[in-house]
Amino acid sequence: MNALRTSGLGKRYRQRWALREATIAVPAGARAALVGPNGAGKSTLLNLAAGLLTPTTGRAEIFGWPLETAAVAFVAQDKPLYRRWSVADLLRFGSATNPRWDRAAAQSLLSGHDISLRERVDRLSGGQRTLLALALAVGKRADLVVLDEPLAELDPLARLQVMSVVRELEATVLLSSHILADLAEVCDHLILLGTGRVRLCGSFADLLSSHSATDLEDLVLHYLRNPEAVR
Amino acid sequence: MSGPLWVAWRGQRAQAAAIAALLLLYGAAAATERLEPDLSGLTFQLAGFLAGAICLIWGAPLIAREFEAGTHKLAWTQSLSRGRWLAAVLAVAAAGALTATAALAAVLTWALPGTEGNPMAWPYYESHGLVPYARALWALILGVALGAVTRHTRIAMPLSVLLVGAGQLAGRALRGRFDLSFWAMQWTETAVYLALTLALTGITYLAIRRRA
């Protein structure tokens, strides 16, 4: 069973195609890493998977059902949160807008990282804000969790904390990042995008053996240096 | 308060407080007029400020601010459709605008009881009856729609205030061309404001339906 399946998914902004004919499958329970140079269409694909953008062509399915926002938890780039609200307010926001809300799970993530419910969001550090955004995703109890650059601009300790939370998520995860070493630790699937198209999609093990690469970094760098060689 | 309505209220309570503070200032001015009848008329003439304040403080930033902070990506990826989200946000804002208008009407009735004069003269006409309520709703949604379409508070705020002012002046000019009684005129004008409010609500929904 695929948690996420897209077929012929494309998004055009005026004259420019940000993503073309993207056909990918992320199996249930997978941790899929979305990798590619800047402008390759990563954010567009994630925004489509989150139901925030409407595709120009093709479609996306979550566990065989047409995509709807209730089934996906999305942490957008820069982790947008209501900055003047308290942490407790944001938890109440999660419970008010999600019928399957799991307050205990969201709260235990926060208390596990010493984030006080009384704190105002704009007084949290970048790492704490990321953890709060993840707590909202956990509380939603979504089948698929989509994270756009969750590790960007985090200090090393915060990055470790966020990675361990991602590793323990019960849902299927699709996340984008530039930090290949981190992805190799957390993820087991790779989707490689280049200039708006899907270049590689599959499990690490399959991709490494079929391209006779030694590790993820090797495979991705090989593609980035010579895009035409990887098909 | 039910879920989405609480979210909308949490997001708008600062605007509610700002409008309440303005009404307190206005109440103080009206009280002064009651004690000093020499100032007579000034409070009536200022009563029209409320529509402009509502569109500037409450309407224009309502959705534009979400776009500017990127929080629309948070709000629109929960289990709530954008239509329901918008309905909750507009319900709270509309309730606020109507409450503020009722408070203003109460202040006028208390501070200036039994004011004589022509009911069709604009300072009286525009601050009594149904028109202030319909105008407040129209001013609110005009700001909201401009914010949703332009996605920038710095464009939506000044533009909506200009248009609300222009709309009030246009209403005043048009009114002189018809020979209707007070209530016939009030009902007609209210119907026009409410029709515009509905149209602008539709535009707002279309503006947020497919954008990210």
Side-chain angles (χ1 to χ4, degrees), chain A residues 84-92 101 103-122 124 128 131-132 135-136, chain B residues 10:
Chain A
R84 299 169 73 92
W85 297 19
S86 68
V87 174
D89 284 339
L90 272 157
L91 289 189
R92 188 162 173 194
W101 181 251
R103 183 178 176 87
Q107 253 176 350
S108 88
L109 195 165
L110 294 172
S111 59
H113 293 89
D114 290 324
I115 298 173
S116 159
L117 292 182
R118 285 195 298 273
E119 198 68 81
R120 255 170 63 140
V121 172
D122 57 8
L124 299 177
Q128 288 174 319
L131 290 163
L132 173 55
L136 289 176
Chain B
R10 179 62 190 84

PDB file of all heavy atoms in Angstrom, chain A residues 84-92 101 103-122 124 128 131-132 135-136, chain B residues 10:
ATOM      1  N   ARG A  84       2.417  35.613  18.032  1.00  0.00           N
ATOM      2  CA  ARG A  84       2.026  36.322  19.250  1.00  0.00           C
ATOM      3  C   ARG A  84       1.184  35.443  20.171  1.00  0.00           C
ATOM      4  O   ARG A  84       0.784  35.873  21.243  1.00  0.00           O
ATOM      5  CB  ARG A  84       1.279  37.599  18.891  1.00  0.00           C
ATOM      6  CG  ARG A  84       2.137  38.553  18.072  1.00  0.00           C
ATOM      7  CD  ARG A  84       1.303  39.681  17.502  1.00  0.00           C
ATOM      8  NE  ARG A  84       0.911  40.618  18.532  1.00  0.00           N
ATOM      9  CZ  ARG A  84       1.615  41.697  18.848  1.00  0.00           C
ATOM     10  NH1 ARG A  84       2.707  41.964  18.212  1.00  0.00           N
ATOM     11  NH2 ARG A  84       1.207  42.500  19.792  1.00  0.00           N
ATOM     12  N   TRP A  85       0.874  34.239  19.735  1.00  0.00           N
ATOM     13  CA  TRP A  85       0.090  33.330  20.565  1.00  0.00           C
ATOM     14  C   TRP A  85       1.013  32.588  21.526  1.00  0.00           C
ATOM     15  O   TRP A  85       2.226  32.502  21.306  1.00  0.00           O
ATOM     16  CB  TRP A  85      -0.644  32.308  19.705  1.00  0.00           C
ATOM     17  CG  TRP A  85      -1.656  32.880  18.766  1.00  0.00           C
ATOM     18  CD1 TRP A  85      -1.744  34.171  18.325  1.00  0.00           C
ATOM     19  CD2 TRP A  85      -2.723  32.157  18.129  1.00  0.00           C
ATOM     20  NE1 TRP A  85      -2.789  34.280  17.446  1.00  0.00           N
ATOM     21  CE2 TRP A  85      -3.401  33.092  17.310  1.00  0.00           C
ATOM     22  CE3 TRP A  85      -3.147  30.839  18.172  1.00  0.00           C
ATOM     23  CZ2 TRP A  85      -4.514  32.715  16.549  1.00  0.00           C
ATOM     24  CZ3 TRP A  85      -4.239  30.466  17.416  1.00  0.00           C
ATOM     25  CH2 TRP A  85      -4.922  31.400  16.618  1.00  0.00           C
ATOM     26  N   SER A  86       0.411  32.025  22.576  1.00  0.00           N
ATOM     27  CA  SER A  86       1.192  31.158  23.461  1.00  0.00           C
ATOM     28  C   SER A  86       1.220  29.748  22.883  1.00  0.00           C
ATOM     29  O   SER A  86       0.442  29.413  21.986  1.00  0.00           O
ATOM     30  CB  SER A  86       0.563  31.138  24.859  1.00  0.00           C
ATOM     31  OG  SER A  86      -0.677  30.470  24.793  1.00  0.00           O
ATOM     32  N   VAL A  87       2.142  28.933  23.411  1.00  0.00           N
ATOM     33  CA  VAL A  87       2.215  27.533  22.992  1.00  0.00           C
ATOM     34  C   VAL A  87       0.871  26.844  23.255  1.00  0.00           C
ATOM     35  O   VAL A  87       0.358  26.090  22.411  1.00  0.00           O
ATOM     36  CB  VAL A  87       3.362  26.824  23.735  1.00  0.00           C
ATOM     37  CG1 VAL A  87       3.355  25.331  23.434  1.00  0.00           C
ATOM     38  CG2 VAL A  87       4.704  27.443  23.345  1.00  0.00           C
ATOM     39  N   ALA A  88       0.265  27.147  24.420  1.00  0.00           N
ATOM     40  CA  ALA A  88      -1.031  26.538  24.751  1.00  0.00           C
ATOM     41  C   ALA A  88      -2.102  26.941  23.742  1.00  0.00           C
ATOM     42  O   ALA A  88      -2.943  26.118  23.360  1.00  0.00           O
ATOM     43  CB  ALA A  88      -1.452  26.953  26.168  1.00  0.00           C
ATOM     44  N   ASP A  89      -2.070  28.206  23.298  1.00  0.00           N
ATOM     45  CA  ASP A  89      -3.035  28.660  22.282  1.00  0.00           C
ATOM     46  C   ASP A  89      -2.905  27.835  21.007  1.00  0.00           C
ATOM     47  O   ASP A  89      -3.899  27.468  20.385  1.00  0.00           O
ATOM     48  CB  ASP A  89      -2.789  30.136  21.928  1.00  0.00           C
ATOM     49  CG  ASP A  89      -3.288  31.089  23.001  1.00  0.00           C
ATOM     50  OD1 ASP A  89      -4.144  30.675  23.802  1.00  0.00           O
ATOM     51  OD2 ASP A  89      -2.808  32.239  23.037  1.00  0.00           O
ATOM     52  N   LEU A  90      -1.653  27.562  20.613  1.00  0.00           N
ATOM     53  CA  LEU A  90      -1.463  26.800  19.379  1.00  0.00           C
ATOM     54  C   LEU A  90      -1.938  25.366  19.524  1.00  0.00           C
ATOM     55  O   LEU A  90      -2.471  24.778  18.578  1.00  0.00           O
ATOM     56  CB  LEU A  90       0.000  26.857  18.932  1.00  0.00           C
ATOM     57  CG  LEU A  90       0.230  28.087  18.044  1.00  0.00           C
ATOM     58  CD1 LEU A  90       1.666  28.508  18.039  1.00  0.00           C
ATOM     59  CD2 LEU A  90      -0.266  27.840  16.626  1.00  0.00           C
ATOM     60  N   LEU A  91      -1.783  24.790  20.718  1.00  0.00           N
ATOM     61  CA  LEU A  91      -2.323  23.445  20.936  1.00  0.00           C
ATOM     62  C   LEU A  91      -3.842  23.479  20.841  1.00  0.00           C
ATOM     63  O   LEU A  91      -4.470  22.574  20.278  1.00  0.00           O
ATOM     64  CB  LEU A  91      -1.884  22.888  22.295  1.00  0.00           C
ATOM     65  CG  LEU A  91      -0.406  22.515  22.425  1.00  0.00           C
ATOM     66  CD1 LEU A  91      -0.175  21.775  23.734  1.00  0.00           C
ATOM     67  CD2 LEU A  91       0.075  21.665  21.258  1.00  0.00           C
ATOM     68  N   ARG A  92      -4.447  24.550  21.395  1.00  0.00           N
ATOM     69  CA  ARG A  92      -5.898  24.650  21.306  1.00  0.00           C
ATOM     70  C   ARG A  92      -6.331  24.835  19.848  1.00  0.00           C
ATOM     71  O   ARG A  92      -7.367  24.316  19.426  1.00  0.00           O
ATOM     72  CB  ARG A  92      -6.383  25.819  22.172  1.00  0.00           C
ATOM     73  CG  ARG A  92      -7.883  25.832  22.270  1.00  0.00           C
ATOM     74  CD  ARG A  92      -8.410  26.658  23.409  1.00  0.00           C
ATOM     75  NE  ARG A  92      -9.875  26.721  23.295  1.00  0.00           N
ATOM     76  CZ  ARG A  92     -10.638  27.555  23.939  1.00  0.00           C
ATOM     77  NH1 ARG A  92     -10.107  28.406  24.798  1.00  0.00           N
ATOM     78  NH2 ARG A  92     -11.947  27.555  23.777  1.00  0.00           N
ATOM     79  N   TRP A 101      -7.610  15.039  16.976  1.00  0.00           N
ATOM     80  CA  TRP A 101      -6.544  15.662  17.760  1.00  0.00           C
ATOM     81  C   TRP A 101      -6.147  14.822  18.976  1.00  0.00           C
ATOM     82  O   TRP A 101      -6.986  14.380  19.755  1.00  0.00           O
ATOM     83  CB  TRP A 101      -6.986  17.039  18.223  1.00  0.00           C
ATOM     84  CG  TRP A 101      -5.949  17.765  19.017  1.00  0.00           C
ATOM     85  CD1 TRP A 101      -5.981  18.014  20.360  1.00  0.00           C
ATOM     86  CD2 TRP A 101      -4.724  18.335  18.541  1.00  0.00           C
ATOM     87  NE1 TRP A 101      -4.857  18.713  20.734  1.00  0.00           N
ATOM     88  CE2 TRP A 101      -4.069  18.915  19.639  1.00  0.00           C
ATOM     89  CE3 TRP A 101      -4.125  18.407  17.280  1.00  0.00           C
ATOM     90  CZ2 TRP A 101      -2.841  19.565  19.530  1.00  0.00           C
ATOM     91  CZ3 TRP A 101      -2.909  19.055  17.159  1.00  0.00           C
ATOM     92  CH2 TRP A 101      -2.275  19.619  18.279  1.00  0.00           C
ATOM     93  N   ARG A 103      -4.138  15.347  22.133  1.00  0.00           N
ATOM     94  CA  ARG A 103      -3.492  16.364  22.956  1.00  0.00           C
ATOM     95  C   ARG A 103      -2.316  15.782  23.738  1.00  0.00           C
ATOM     96  O   ARG A 103      -1.262  16.405  23.868  1.00  0.00           O
ATOM     97  CB  ARG A 103      -4.530  16.956  23.927  1.00  0.00           C
ATOM     98  CG  ARG A 103      -3.952  18.064  24.774  1.00  0.00           C
ATOM     99  CD  ARG A 103      -4.980  18.693  25.707  1.00  0.00           C
ATOM    100  NE  ARG A 103      -4.295  19.672  26.538  1.00  0.00           N
ATOM    101  CZ  ARG A 103      -4.109  20.935  26.190  1.00  0.00           C
ATOM    102  NH1 ARG A 103      -4.573  21.372  25.046  1.00  0.00           N
ATOM    103  NH2 ARG A 103      -3.459  21.752  26.994  1.00  0.00           N
ATOM    104  N   ALA A 104      -2.496  14.562  24.228  1.00  0.00           N
ATOM    105  CA  ALA A 104      -1.443  13.961  25.055  1.00  0.00           C
ATOM    106  C   ALA A 104      -0.155  13.797  24.247  1.00  0.00           C
ATOM    107  O   ALA A 104       0.939  14.103  24.751  1.00  0.00           O
ATOM    108  CB  ALA A 104      -1.920  12.608  25.591  1.00  0.00           C
ATOM    109  N   ALA A 105      -0.285  13.349  22.999  1.00  0.00           N
ATOM    110  CA  ALA A 105       0.912  13.136  22.184  1.00  0.00           C
ATOM    111  C   ALA A 105       1.628  14.459  21.910  1.00  0.00           C
ATOM    112  O   ALA A 105       2.858  14.549  21.995  1.00  0.00           O
ATOM    113  CB  ALA A 105       0.525  12.456  20.866  1.00  0.00           C
ATOM    114  N   ALA A 106       0.837  15.488  21.579  1.00  0.00           N
ATOM    115  CA  ALA A 106       1.446  16.788  21.288  1.00  0.00           C
ATOM    116  C   ALA A 106       2.126  17.347  22.533  1.00  0.00           C
ATOM    117  O   ALA A 106       3.244  17.859  22.484  1.00  0.00           O
ATOM    118  CB  ALA A 106       0.376  17.755  20.781  1.00  0.00           C
ATOM    119  N   GLN A 107       1.442  17.200  23.679  1.00  0.00           N
ATOM    120  CA  GLN A 107       1.988  17.753  24.912  1.00  0.00           C
ATOM    121  C   GLN A 107       3.235  17.019  25.361  1.00  0.00           C
ATOM    122  O   GLN A 107       4.175  17.637  25.874  1.00  0.00           O
ATOM    123  CB  GLN A 107       0.927  17.694  26.013  1.00  0.00           C
ATOM    124  CG  GLN A 107       0.382  19.055  26.325  1.00  0.00           C
ATOM    125  CD  GLN A 107      -0.740  19.009  27.334  1.00  0.00           C
ATOM    126  OE1 GLN A 107      -1.250  17.945  27.677  1.00  0.00           O
ATOM    127  NE2 GLN A 107      -1.137  20.168  27.798  1.00  0.00           N
ATOM    128  N   SER A 108       3.250  15.704  25.167  1.00  0.00           N
ATOM    129  CA  SER A 108       4.424  14.975  25.657  1.00  0.00           C
ATOM    130  C   SER A 108       5.648  15.305  24.810  1.00  0.00           C
ATOM    131  O   SER A 108       6.766  15.357  25.328  1.00  0.00           O
ATOM    132  CB  SER A 108       4.141  13.472  25.720  1.00  0.00           C
ATOM    133  OG  SER A 108       4.448  12.868  24.501  1.00  0.00           O
ATOM    134  N   LEU A 109       5.443  15.579  23.529  1.00  0.00           N
ATOM    135  CA  LEU A 109       6.581  16.012  22.706  1.00  0.00           C
ATOM    136  C   LEU A 109       7.149  17.332  23.251  1.00  0.00           C
ATOM    137  O   LEU A 109       8.366  17.502  23.370  1.00  0.00           O
ATOM    138  CB  LEU A 109       6.137  16.180  21.257  1.00  0.00           C
ATOM    139  CG  LEU A 109       7.217  16.275  20.162  1.00  0.00           C
ATOM    140  CD1 LEU A 109       6.584  16.056  18.795  1.00  0.00           C
ATOM    141  CD2 LEU A 109       7.960  17.587  20.160  1.00  0.00           C
ATOM    142  N   LEU A 110       6.247  18.254  23.603  1.00  0.00           N
ATOM    143  CA  LEU A 110       6.700  19.562  24.085  1.00  0.00           C
ATOM    144  C   LEU A 110       7.366  19.449  25.451  1.00  0.00           C
ATOM    145  O   LEU A 110       8.449  19.996  25.678  1.00  0.00           O
ATOM    146  CB  LEU A 110       5.523  20.531  24.154  1.00  0.00           C
ATOM    147  CG  LEU A 110       4.910  20.898  22.803  1.00  0.00           C
ATOM    148  CD1 LEU A 110       3.637  21.704  22.985  1.00  0.00           C
ATOM    149  CD2 LEU A 110       5.917  21.674  21.961  1.00  0.00           C
ATOM    150  N   SER A 111       6.733  18.691  26.360  1.00  0.00           N
ATOM    151  CA  SER A 111       7.318  18.605  27.707  1.00  0.00           C
ATOM    152  C   SER A 111       8.625  17.824  27.663  1.00  0.00           C
ATOM    153  O   SER A 111       9.544  18.095  28.449  1.00  0.00           O
ATOM    154  CB  SER A 111       6.328  17.986  28.699  1.00  0.00           C
ATOM    155  OG  SER A 111       5.968  16.694  28.257  1.00  0.00           O
ATOM    156  N   GLY A 112       8.737  16.874  26.729  1.00  0.00           N
ATOM    157  CA  GLY A 112       9.979  16.140  26.569  1.00  0.00           C
ATOM    158  C   GLY A 112      11.145  17.034  26.166  1.00  0.00           C
ATOM    159  O   GLY A 112      12.307  16.658  26.327  1.00  0.00           O
ATOM    160  N   HIS A 113      10.845  18.204  25.618  1.00  0.00           N
ATOM    161  CA  HIS A 113      11.904  19.131  25.227  1.00  0.00           C
ATOM    162  C   HIS A 113      11.844  20.417  26.030  1.00  0.00           C
ATOM    163  O   HIS A 113      12.371  21.455  25.612  1.00  0.00           O
ATOM    164  CB  HIS A 113      11.810  19.429  23.729  1.00  0.00           C
ATOM    165  CG  HIS A 113      12.120  18.235  22.875  1.00  0.00           C
ATOM    166  ND1 HIS A 113      11.156  17.336  22.476  1.00  0.00           N
ATOM    167  CD2 HIS A 113      13.281  17.770  22.382  1.00  0.00           C
ATOM    168  CE1 HIS A 113      11.721  16.384  21.753  1.00  0.00           C
ATOM    169  NE2 HIS A 113      13.005  16.615  21.690  1.00  0.00           N
ATOM    170  N   ASP A 114      11.197  20.357  27.205  1.00  0.00           N
ATOM    171  CA  ASP A 114      11.144  21.500  28.133  1.00  0.00           C
ATOM    172  C   ASP A 114      10.594  22.763  27.479  1.00  0.00           C
ATOM    173  O   ASP A 114      11.126  23.852  27.673  1.00  0.00           O
ATOM    174  CB  ASP A 114      12.533  21.783  28.717  1.00  0.00           C
ATOM    175  CG  ASP A 114      12.962  20.687  29.677  1.00  0.00           C
ATOM    176  OD1 ASP A 114      12.073  20.170  30.383  1.00  0.00           O
ATOM    177  OD2 ASP A 114      14.151  20.341  29.696  1.00  0.00           O
ATOM    178  N   ILE A 115       9.548  22.611  26.674  1.00  0.00           N
ATOM    179  CA  ILE A 115       8.898  23.788  26.098  1.00  0.00           C
ATOM    180  C   ILE A 115       7.633  24.057  26.912  1.00  0.00           C
ATOM    181  O   ILE A 115       6.727  23.229  26.952  1.00  0.00           O
ATOM    182  CB  ILE A 115       8.556  23.560  24.614  1.00  0.00           C
ATOM    183  CG1 ILE A 115       9.859  23.326  23.826  1.00  0.00           C
ATOM    184  CG2 ILE A 115       7.792  24.756  24.049  1.00  0.00           C
ATOM    185  CD1 ILE A 115       9.630  22.915  22.389  1.00  0.00           C
ATOM    186  N   SER A 116       7.618  25.239  27.554  1.00  0.00           N
ATOM    187  CA  SER A 116       6.505  25.562  28.441  1.00  0.00           C
ATOM    188  C   SER A 116       5.275  25.977  27.644  1.00  0.00           C
ATOM    189  O   SER A 116       5.370  26.695  26.657  1.00  0.00           O
ATOM    190  CB  SER A 116       6.913  26.709  29.377  1.00  0.00           C
ATOM    191  OG  SER A 116       5.758  27.339  29.884  1.00  0.00           O
ATOM    192  N   LEU A 117       4.101  25.524  28.106  1.00  0.00           N
ATOM    193  CA  LEU A 117       2.854  25.869  27.425  1.00  0.00           C
ATOM    194  C   LEU A 117       2.546  27.359  27.534  1.00  0.00           C
ATOM    195  O   LEU A 117       1.813  27.912  26.733  1.00  0.00           O
ATOM    196  CB  LEU A 117       1.683  25.070  28.029  1.00  0.00           C
ATOM    197  CG  LEU A 117       1.691  23.563  27.794  1.00  0.00           C
ATOM    198  CD1 LEU A 117       0.451  22.934  28.395  1.00  0.00           C
ATOM    199  CD2 LEU A 117       1.780  23.246  26.311  1.00  0.00           C
ATOM    200  N   ARG A 118       3.131  27.991  28.561  1.00  0.00           N
ATOM    201  CA  ARG A 118       2.822  29.411  28.767  1.00  0.00           C
ATOM    202  C   ARG A 118       3.678  30.334  27.913  1.00  0.00           C
ATOM    203  O   ARG A 118       3.396  31.506  27.786  1.00  0.00           O
ATOM    204  CB  ARG A 118       3.004  29.775  30.244  1.00  0.00           C
ATOM    205  CG  ARG A 118       1.881  29.264  31.131  1.00  0.00           C
ATOM    206  CD  ARG A 118       1.914  29.936  32.485  1.00  0.00           C
ATOM    207  NE  ARG A 118       3.164  29.647  33.186  1.00  0.00           N
ATOM    208  CZ  ARG A 118       3.349  28.575  33.942  1.00  0.00           C
ATOM    209  NH1 ARG A 118       2.376  27.708  34.095  1.00  0.00           N
ATOM    210  NH2 ARG A 118       4.496  28.372  34.553  1.00  0.00           N
ATOM    211  N   GLU A 119       4.733  29.797  27.319  1.00  0.00           N
ATOM    212  CA  GLU A 119       5.661  30.641  26.553  1.00  0.00           C
ATOM    213  C   GLU A 119       4.989  31.189  25.294  1.00  0.00           C
ATOM    214  O   GLU A 119       4.178  30.508  24.671  1.00  0.00           O
ATOM    215  CB  GLU A 119       6.879  29.804  26.161  1.00  0.00           C
ATOM    216  CG  GLU A 119       8.096  30.618  25.761  1.00  0.00           C
ATOM    217  CD  GLU A 119       8.701  31.374  26.944  1.00  0.00           C
ATOM    218  OE1 GLU A 119       9.460  30.771  27.728  1.00  0.00           O
ATOM    219  OE2 GLU A 119       8.399  32.580  27.058  1.00  0.00           O
ATOM    220  N   ARG A 120       5.352  32.423  24.954  1.00  0.00           N
ATOM    221  CA  ARG A 120       4.872  32.966  23.693  1.00  0.00           C
ATOM    222  C   ARG A 120       5.720  32.432  22.551  1.00  0.00           C
ATOM    223  O   ARG A 120       6.927  32.280  22.687  1.00  0.00           O
ATOM    224  CB  ARG A 120       4.938  34.495  23.708  1.00  0.00           C
ATOM    225  CG  ARG A 120       3.581  35.163  23.875  1.00  0.00           C
ATOM    226  CD  ARG A 120       3.751  36.625  24.118  1.00  0.00           C
ATOM    227  NE  ARG A 120       4.376  37.275  22.971  1.00  0.00           N
ATOM    228  CZ  ARG A 120       4.007  38.478  22.525  1.00  0.00           C
ATOM    229  NH1 ARG A 120       3.015  39.116  23.109  1.00  0.00           N
ATOM    230  NH2 ARG A 120       4.624  39.033  21.508  1.00  0.00           N
ATOM    231  N   VAL A 121       5.088  32.201  21.399  1.00  0.00           N
ATOM    232  CA  VAL A 121       5.793  31.569  20.284  1.00  0.00           C
ATOM    233  C   VAL A 121       7.003  32.399  19.854  1.00  0.00           C
ATOM    234  O   VAL A 121       8.069  31.850  19.560  1.00  0.00           O
ATOM    235  CB  VAL A 121       4.828  31.343  19.101  1.00  0.00           C
ATOM    236  CG1 VAL A 121       5.567  30.872  17.873  1.00  0.00           C
ATOM    237  CG2 VAL A 121       3.756  30.329  19.491  1.00  0.00           C
ATOM    238  N   ASP A 122       6.869  33.735  19.838  1.00  0.00           N
ATOM    239  CA  ASP A 122       7.997  34.532  19.343  1.00  0.00           C
ATOM    240  C   ASP A 122       9.157  34.592  20.335  1.00  0.00           C
ATOM    241  O   ASP A 122      10.192  35.191  20.040  1.00  0.00           O
ATOM    242  CB  ASP A 122       7.555  35.929  18.903  1.00  0.00           C
ATOM    243  CG  ASP A 122       6.853  36.699  19.996  1.00  0.00           C
ATOM    244  OD1 ASP A 122       6.835  36.209  21.146  1.00  0.00           O
ATOM    245  OD2 ASP A 122       6.331  37.788  19.701  1.00  0.00           O
ATOM    246  N   LEU A 124      10.324  31.650  21.536  1.00  0.00           N
ATOM    247  CA  LEU A 124      10.967  30.335  21.401  1.00  0.00           C
ATOM    248  C   LEU A 124      12.161  30.433  20.453  1.00  0.00           C
ATOM    249  O   LEU A 124      12.201  31.290  19.566  1.00  0.00           O
ATOM    250  CB  LEU A 124       9.966  29.323  20.837  1.00  0.00           C
ATOM    251  CG  LEU A 124       8.709  29.037  21.648  1.00  0.00           C
ATOM    252  CD1 LEU A 124       7.803  28.073  20.888  1.00  0.00           C
ATOM    253  CD2 LEU A 124       9.041  28.467  23.016  1.00  0.00           C
ATOM    254  N   GLN A 128      13.022  25.193  18.991  1.00  0.00           N
ATOM    255  CA  GLN A 128      11.777  24.988  19.743  1.00  0.00           C
ATOM    256  C   GLN A 128      10.558  25.220  18.851  1.00  0.00           C
ATOM    257  O   GLN A 128       9.554  24.520  18.967  1.00  0.00           O
ATOM    258  CB  GLN A 128      11.738  25.923  20.955  1.00  0.00           C
ATOM    259  CG  GLN A 128      12.711  25.515  22.056  1.00  0.00           C
ATOM    260  CD  GLN A 128      12.748  26.543  23.167  1.00  0.00           C
ATOM    261  OE1 GLN A 128      12.727  27.752  22.916  1.00  0.00           O
ATOM    262  NE2 GLN A 128      12.804  26.075  24.403  1.00  0.00           N
ATOM    263  N   LEU A 131      10.057  22.195  16.839  1.00  0.00           N
ATOM    264  CA  LEU A 131       9.460  21.125  17.638  1.00  0.00           C
ATOM    265  C   LEU A 131       7.973  21.382  17.887  1.00  0.00           C
ATOM    266  O   LEU A 131       7.160  20.452  17.888  1.00  0.00           O
ATOM    267  CB  LEU A 131      10.220  20.989  18.964  1.00  0.00           C
ATOM    268  CG  LEU A 131      11.638  20.408  18.805  1.00  0.00           C
ATOM    269  CD1 LEU A 131      12.476  20.671  20.049  1.00  0.00           C
ATOM    270  CD2 LEU A 131      11.580  18.914  18.496  1.00  0.00           C
ATOM    271  N   LEU A 132       7.616  22.666  18.064  1.00  0.00           N
ATOM    272  CA  LEU A 132       6.201  22.997  18.245  1.00  0.00           C
ATOM    273  C   LEU A 132       5.407  22.687  16.967  1.00  0.00           C
ATOM    274  O   LEU A 132       4.308  22.121  17.030  1.00  0.00           O
ATOM    275  CB  LEU A 132       6.059  24.480  18.632  1.00  0.00           C
ATOM    276  CG  LEU A 132       4.642  25.055  18.702  1.00  0.00           C
ATOM    277  CD1 LEU A 132       3.762  24.244  19.647  1.00  0.00           C
ATOM    278  CD2 LEU A 132       4.683  26.517  19.164  1.00  0.00           C
ATOM    279  N   ALA A 135       4.939  19.135  16.932  1.00  0.00           N
ATOM    280  CA  ALA A 135       3.938  18.714  17.917  1.00  0.00           C
ATOM    281  C   ALA A 135       2.527  18.867  17.339  1.00  0.00           C
ATOM    282  O   ALA A 135       1.657  18.017  17.568  1.00  0.00           O
ATOM    283  CB  ALA A 135       4.076  19.525  19.205  1.00  0.00           C
ATOM    284  N   LEU A 136       2.309  19.961  16.579  1.00  0.00           N
ATOM    285  CA  LEU A 136       1.008  20.133  15.929  1.00  0.00           C
ATOM    286  C   LEU A 136       0.761  19.018  14.911  1.00  0.00           C
ATOM    287  O   LEU A 136      -0.351  18.509  14.790  1.00  0.00           O
ATOM    288  CB  LEU A 136       0.933  21.498  15.236  1.00  0.00           C
ATOM    289  CG  LEU A 136       0.844  22.721  16.148  1.00  0.00           C
ATOM    290  CD1 LEU A 136       0.880  24.007  15.342  1.00  0.00           C
ATOM    291  CD2 LEU A 136      -0.422  22.664  16.989  1.00  0.00           C
TER     292      LEU A 136
ATOM    293  N   ARG B  10      -9.368  34.160  18.700  1.00  0.00           N
ATOM    294  CA  ARG B  10      -8.000  34.311  19.202  1.00  0.00           C
ATOM    295  C   ARG B  10      -7.169  35.161  18.236  1.00  0.00           C
ATOM    296  O   ARG B  10      -6.316  35.934  18.646  1.00  0.00           O
ATOM    297  CB  ARG B  10      -7.351  32.930  19.397  1.00  0.00           C
ATOM    298  CG  ARG B  10      -5.908  32.963  19.906  1.00  0.00           C
ATOM    299  CD  ARG B  10      -5.863  33.613  21.273  1.00  0.00           C
ATOM    300  NE  ARG B  10      -4.485  33.899  21.710  1.00  0.00           N
ATOM    301  CZ  ARG B  10      -3.806  34.996  21.369  1.00  0.00           C
ATOM    302  NH1 ARG B  10      -4.340  35.887  20.573  1.00  0.00           N
ATOM    303  NH2 ARG B  10      -2.582  35.187  21.823  1.00  0.00           N
TER     304      ARG B  10
END
